[in-house]
Amino acid sequence: MKLFWRVLGALAAVLVVAFLVLRTPDTDAAEMRAKYGGTPSQFVTLENDMTVHLRDEGPRDSPAIVLLHGSNADLHTWQAWVDGLREDYRVIRFDQRGHGLTGPGARDSYALEDFVADLDLVADELGLERFVLGGNSMGGWIAAGYAMEHPGWLDGLVLVDAAGAPVEREGGGNLAFTIARMPVIGAAMSQLLPRSLVERSLSQSVSNQAVVTPEAVDRYWELARYPGNRAATRARFSNTRMAFDAKAVAALEIPTLVIWGEEDALIPVAAARWYDERLPQSTLAIYAGIGHLPMEETPKRSLADLRTWLNTVYPSPAPK
């Protein structure tokens, strides 16, 4: 029996040493800010004492568009859209709590109301009174939640492969997200976090594999390890994300553009149709051969559809 306990103790010690050796350390905050937070980035401290990494581009007197990234992403996911919009619109995007260069949220809480409250504070800080709000995946869920709480503050809503519909996925999915939801294994893997896991996760999220560049994988991997983000991810995935009530969605009398990749393996295209059938002022665009990130996978087509829709929301003066 003593031998058994000695062997068990030795094995435990080996596992601890192996974990410490294999653990991928956090990235350096200053180094990440230098790499991903250059011009035109700003670091704005909100009333809740959280310092948010944001970019505010375009003419200040033009209609404003706020864009919310998805889970484990960051503000760079919107770059192609921003490049095509900032001449005619004021385009604002920011790293949400627990993501990118913003880091952990105030009170380390990641419920829908926390994200909505952050957006309130960002809008106040930037002097926004009315704007179009768009979001991808988790960001779409937050955008829809914000619209339900403040329907009179928005000129329009853009849902890009948005979470929130009561539609179950059959098969597919994202390996990293699946692991993150596992209580013990998820905690261990978040500390190990090999680059290969991040690359596979991004690859599983898209159909257009041209999006999976070494630079993109590095950014996801490095910002996932920004100090505090891994603990934030575990806390966020420990929450149960509730689907929206159909009646609440149907009450949104806001012009809404619903954009979806037909091959989305994370949130099926049936969710796009669920939103489209219930939103009173919905315009639907579904792209064949595209996955979870249409704004990156088919930037020209999705941007063209967005601009056409924006011309109906802001018809005069018509942007170029």
Side-chain angles (χ1 to χ4, degrees), residues 131-155:
F131 53 95
V132 166
L133 177 60
N136 169 241
S137 191
M138 179 194 78
W141 173 64
I142 296 165
Y146 186 90
M148 291 174 195
E149 185 167 327
H150 305 298
W153 296 5
L154 298 181
D155 291 324

mmCIF file of all heavy atoms in Angstrom, residues 131-155:
data_model
loop_
_atom_site.group_PDB
_atom_site.id
_atom_site.type_symbol
_atom_site.label_atom_id
_atom_site.label_comp_id
_atom_site.label_asym_id
_atom_site.label_seq_id
_atom_site.Cartn_x
_atom_site.Cartn_y
_atom_site.Cartn_z
ATOM 1 N N PHE A 131 -27.556 55.488 -33.442
ATOM 2 C CA PHE A 131 -26.574 54.818 -34.291
ATOM 3 C C PHE A 131 -27.135 53.505 -34.803
ATOM 4 O O PHE A 131 -28.151 53.004 -34.317
ATOM 5 C CB PHE A 131 -25.266 54.580 -33.526
ATOM 6 C CG PHE A 131 -25.419 53.876 -32.201
ATOM 7 C CD1 PHE A 131 -25.272 52.493 -32.098
ATOM 8 C CD2 PHE A 131 -25.696 54.596 -31.039
ATOM 9 C CE1 PHE A 131 -25.400 51.843 -30.875
ATOM 10 C CE2 PHE A 131 -25.828 53.958 -29.807
ATOM 11 C CZ PHE A 131 -25.677 52.578 -29.725
ATOM 12 N N VAL A 132 -26.464 52.962 -35.801
ATOM 13 C CA VAL A 132 -26.718 51.597 -36.255
ATOM 14 C C VAL A 132 -25.807 50.683 -35.459
ATOM 15 O O VAL A 132 -24.618 50.980 -35.275
ATOM 16 C CB VAL A 132 -26.450 51.453 -37.766
ATOM 17 C CG1 VAL A 132 -26.366 49.981 -38.177
ATOM 18 C CG2 VAL A 132 -27.537 52.144 -38.568
ATOM 19 N N LEU A 133 -26.348 49.569 -34.983
ATOM 20 C CA LEU A 133 -25.577 48.634 -34.176
ATOM 21 C C LEU A 133 -25.503 47.292 -34.878
ATOM 22 O O LEU A 133 -26.528 46.723 -35.271
ATOM 23 C CB LEU A 133 -26.228 48.464 -32.805
ATOM 24 C CG LEU A 133 -25.579 47.465 -31.840
ATOM 25 C CD1 LEU A 133 -24.136 47.864 -31.529
ATOM 26 C CD2 LEU A 133 -26.393 47.353 -30.551
ATOM 27 N N GLY A 134 -24.279 46.788 -35.059
ATOM 28 C CA GLY A 134 -24.094 45.493 -35.688
ATOM 29 C C GLY A 134 -23.258 44.576 -34.830
ATOM 30 O O GLY A 134 -22.442 45.030 -34.022
ATOM 31 N N GLY A 135 -23.471 43.277 -34.987
ATOM 32 C CA GLY A 135 -22.678 42.320 -34.220
ATOM 33 C C GLY A 135 -22.629 40.969 -34.892
ATOM 34 O O GLY A 135 -23.562 40.560 -35.584
ATOM 35 N N ASN A 136 -21.513 40.290 -34.684
ATOM 36 C CA ASN A 136 -21.300 38.943 -35.212
ATOM 37 C C ASN A 136 -21.307 37.944 -34.067
ATOM 38 O O ASN A 136 -20.675 38.168 -33.039
ATOM 39 C CB ASN A 136 -19.966 38.880 -35.960
ATOM 40 C CG ASN A 136 -19.535 37.464 -36.303
ATOM 41 O OD1 ASN A 136 -18.485 37.002 -35.869
ATOM 42 N ND2 ASN A 136 -20.338 36.757 -37.075
ATOM 43 N N SER A 137 -22.035 36.832 -34.229
ATOM 44 C CA SER A 137 -22.026 35.727 -33.277
ATOM 45 C C SER A 137 -22.436 36.220 -31.884
ATOM 46 O O SER A 137 -23.531 36.739 -31.706
ATOM 47 C CB SER A 137 -20.641 35.075 -33.273
ATOM 48 O OG SER A 137 -20.640 33.868 -32.566
ATOM 49 N N MET A 138 -21.561 36.092 -30.896
ATOM 50 C CA MET A 138 -21.847 36.625 -29.570
ATOM 51 C C MET A 138 -22.158 38.116 -29.646
ATOM 52 O O MET A 138 -23.035 38.623 -28.930
ATOM 53 C CB MET A 138 -20.650 36.396 -28.642
ATOM 54 C CG MET A 138 -20.822 36.945 -27.233
ATOM 55 S SD MET A 138 -19.264 37.011 -26.289
ATOM 56 C CE MET A 138 -18.525 38.503 -26.996
ATOM 57 N N GLY A 139 -21.446 38.832 -30.517
ATOM 58 C CA GLY A 139 -21.697 40.261 -30.683
ATOM 59 C C GLY A 139 -23.089 40.543 -31.220
ATOM 60 O O GLY A 139 -23.704 41.548 -30.880
ATOM 61 N N GLY A 140 -23.609 39.645 -32.065
ATOM 62 C CA GLY A 140 -24.970 39.787 -32.552
ATOM 63 C C GLY A 140 -25.992 39.571 -31.449
ATOM 64 O O GLY A 140 -27.035 40.237 -31.402
ATOM 65 N N TRP A 141 -25.692 38.615 -30.572
ATOM 66 C CA TRP A 141 -26.542 38.363 -29.398
ATOM 67 C C TRP A 141 -26.595 39.610 -28.510
ATOM 68 O O TRP A 141 -27.673 40.023 -28.051
ATOM 69 C CB TRP A 141 -25.961 37.175 -28.643
ATOM 70 C CG TRP A 141 -26.556 36.819 -27.330
ATOM 71 C CD1 TRP A 141 -27.814 36.387 -27.081
ATOM 72 C CD2 TRP A 141 -25.876 36.831 -26.065
ATOM 73 N NE1 TRP A 141 -27.971 36.123 -25.734
ATOM 74 C CE2 TRP A 141 -26.798 36.382 -25.083
ATOM 75 C CE3 TRP A 141 -24.587 37.141 -25.659
ATOM 76 C CZ2 TRP A 141 -26.459 36.265 -23.731
ATOM 77 C CZ3 TRP A 141 -24.237 37.024 -24.314
ATOM 78 C CH2 TRP A 141 -25.178 36.594 -23.375
ATOM 79 N N ILE A 142 -25.443 40.232 -28.310
ATOM 80 C CA ILE A 142 -25.387 41.449 -27.493
ATOM 81 C C ILE A 142 -26.114 42.594 -28.191
ATOM 82 O O ILE A 142 -26.857 43.358 -27.559
ATOM 83 C CB ILE A 142 -23.925 41.825 -27.199
ATOM 84 C CG1 ILE A 142 -23.255 40.725 -26.359
ATOM 85 C CG2 ILE A 142 -23.830 43.176 -26.498
ATOM 86 C CD1 ILE A 142 -21.741 40.806 -26.325
ATOM 87 N N ALA A 143 -25.924 42.710 -29.507
ATOM 88 C CA ALA A 143 -26.585 43.769 -30.268
ATOM 89 C C ALA A 143 -28.102 43.631 -30.181
ATOM 90 O O ALA A 143 -28.822 44.615 -29.961
ATOM 91 C CB ALA A 143 -26.127 43.736 -31.724
ATOM 92 N N ALA A 144 -28.609 42.407 -30.338
ATOM 93 C CA ALA A 144 -30.053 42.188 -30.237
ATOM 94 C C ALA A 144 -30.543 42.474 -28.822
ATOM 95 O O ALA A 144 -31.614 43.071 -28.627
ATOM 96 C CB ALA A 144 -30.395 40.756 -30.642
ATOM 97 N N GLY A 145 -29.765 42.051 -27.815
ATOM 98 C CA GLY A 145 -30.135 42.332 -26.432
ATOM 99 C C GLY A 145 -30.169 43.820 -26.147
ATOM 100 O O GLY A 145 -31.063 44.315 -25.440
ATOM 101 N N TYR A 146 -29.203 44.561 -26.705
ATOM 102 C CA TYR A 146 -29.179 46.018 -26.538
ATOM 103 C C TYR A 146 -30.400 46.649 -27.197
ATOM 104 O O TYR A 146 -31.027 47.561 -26.639
ATOM 105 C CB TYR A 146 -27.899 46.576 -27.156
ATOM 106 C CG TYR A 146 -27.686 48.050 -26.917
ATOM 107 C CD1 TYR A 146 -26.987 48.498 -25.807
ATOM 108 C CD2 TYR A 146 -28.184 48.999 -27.801
ATOM 109 C CE1 TYR A 146 -26.779 49.851 -25.577
ATOM 110 C CE2 TYR A 146 -27.991 50.358 -27.587
ATOM 111 C CZ TYR A 146 -27.290 50.781 -26.478
ATOM 112 O OH TYR A 146 -27.097 52.115 -26.243
ATOM 113 N N ALA A 147 -30.754 46.148 -28.382
ATOM 114 C CA ALA A 147 -31.904 46.689 -29.100
ATOM 115 C C ALA A 147 -33.195 46.480 -28.315
ATOM 116 O O ALA A 147 -34.074 47.353 -28.303
ATOM 117 C CB ALA A 147 -32.009 46.028 -30.473
ATOM 118 N N MET A 148 -33.305 45.347 -27.645
ATOM 119 C CA MET A 148 -34.502 45.085 -26.848
ATOM 120 C C MET A 148 -34.584 46.010 -25.639
ATOM 121 O O MET A 148 -35.670 46.411 -25.213
ATOM 122 C CB MET A 148 -34.505 43.622 -26.385
ATOM 123 C CG MET A 148 -34.709 42.642 -27.509
ATOM 124 S SD MET A 148 -34.532 40.930 -26.946
ATOM 125 C CE MET A 148 -34.368 40.089 -28.533
ATOM 126 N N GLU A 149 -33.428 46.373 -25.104
ATOM 127 C CA GLU A 149 -33.415 47.252 -23.931
ATOM 128 C C GLU A 149 -33.546 48.720 -24.321
ATOM 129 O O GLU A 149 -34.146 49.515 -23.589
ATOM 130 C CB GLU A 149 -32.117 47.044 -23.141
ATOM 131 C CG GLU A 149 -32.084 47.830 -21.845
ATOM 132 C CD GLU A 149 -30.952 47.376 -20.921
ATOM 133 O OE1 GLU A 149 -30.614 46.177 -20.935
ATOM 134 O OE2 GLU A 149 -30.423 48.238 -20.196
ATOM 135 N N HIS A 150 -32.985 49.087 -25.500
ATOM 136 C CA HIS A 150 -32.992 50.493 -25.922
ATOM 137 C C HIS A 150 -33.473 50.617 -27.366
ATOM 138 O O HIS A 150 -32.748 51.127 -28.229
ATOM 139 C CB HIS A 150 -31.584 51.090 -25.810
ATOM 140 C CG HIS A 150 -30.955 50.960 -24.461
ATOM 141 N ND1 HIS A 150 -31.481 51.538 -23.327
ATOM 142 C CD2 HIS A 150 -29.830 50.306 -24.059
ATOM 143 C CE1 HIS A 150 -30.701 51.264 -22.280
ATOM 144 N NE2 HIS A 150 -29.709 50.510 -22.699
ATOM 145 N N PRO A 151 -34.668 50.188 -27.675
ATOM 146 C CA PRO A 151 -35.123 50.198 -29.071
ATOM 147 C C PRO A 151 -35.173 51.589 -29.687
ATOM 148 O O PRO A 151 -34.985 51.748 -30.892
ATOM 149 C CB PRO A 151 -36.523 49.576 -28.989
ATOM 150 C CG PRO A 151 -36.968 49.795 -27.581
ATOM 151 C CD PRO A 151 -35.727 49.706 -26.753
ATOM 152 N N GLY A 152 -35.411 52.608 -28.874
ATOM 153 C CA GLY A 152 -35.515 53.951 -29.410
ATOM 154 C C GLY A 152 -34.192 54.623 -29.683
ATOM 155 O O GLY A 152 -34.166 55.747 -30.213
ATOM 156 N N TRP A 153 -33.087 53.989 -29.333
ATOM 157 C CA TRP A 153 -31.780 54.603 -29.505
ATOM 158 C C TRP A 153 -31.106 54.190 -30.806
ATOM 159 O O TRP A 153 -30.064 54.734 -31.157
ATOM 160 C CB TRP A 153 -30.859 54.230 -28.331
ATOM 161 C CG TRP A 153 -31.330 54.746 -27.012
ATOM 162 C CD1 TRP A 153 -32.499 55.400 -26.745
ATOM 163 C CD2 TRP A 153 -30.647 54.652 -25.763
ATOM 164 N NE1 TRP A 153 -32.598 55.708 -25.409
ATOM 165 C CE2 TRP A 153 -31.469 55.264 -24.780
ATOM 166 C CE3 TRP A 153 -29.438 54.116 -25.372
ATOM 167 C CZ2 TRP A 153 -31.110 55.345 -23.439
ATOM 168 C CZ3 TRP A 153 -29.062 54.191 -24.033
ATOM 169 C CH2 TRP A 153 -29.893 54.806 -23.082
ATOM 170 N N LEU A 154 -31.676 53.227 -31.504
ATOM 171 C CA LEU A 154 -31.016 52.680 -32.690
ATOM 172 C C LEU A 154 -31.744 53.072 -33.967
ATOM 173 O O LEU A 154 -32.973 53.037 -34.045
ATOM 174 C CB LEU A 154 -30.944 51.149 -32.595
ATOM 175 C CG LEU A 154 -30.136 50.564 -31.436
ATOM 176 C CD1 LEU A 154 -30.141 49.038 -31.512
ATOM 177 C CD2 LEU A 154 -28.708 51.093 -31.423
ATOM 178 N N ASP A 155 -30.958 53.404 -34.990
ATOM 179 C CA ASP A 155 -31.506 53.638 -36.325
ATOM 180 C C ASP A 155 -31.608 52.335 -37.106
ATOM 181 O O ASP A 155 -32.370 52.245 -38.067
ATOM 182 C CB ASP A 155 -30.620 54.616 -37.093
ATOM 183 C CG ASP A 155 -30.677 56.022 -36.517
ATOM 184 O OD1 ASP A 155 -31.772 56.425 -36.068
ATOM 185 O OD2 ASP A 155 -29.647 56.711 -36.518
#
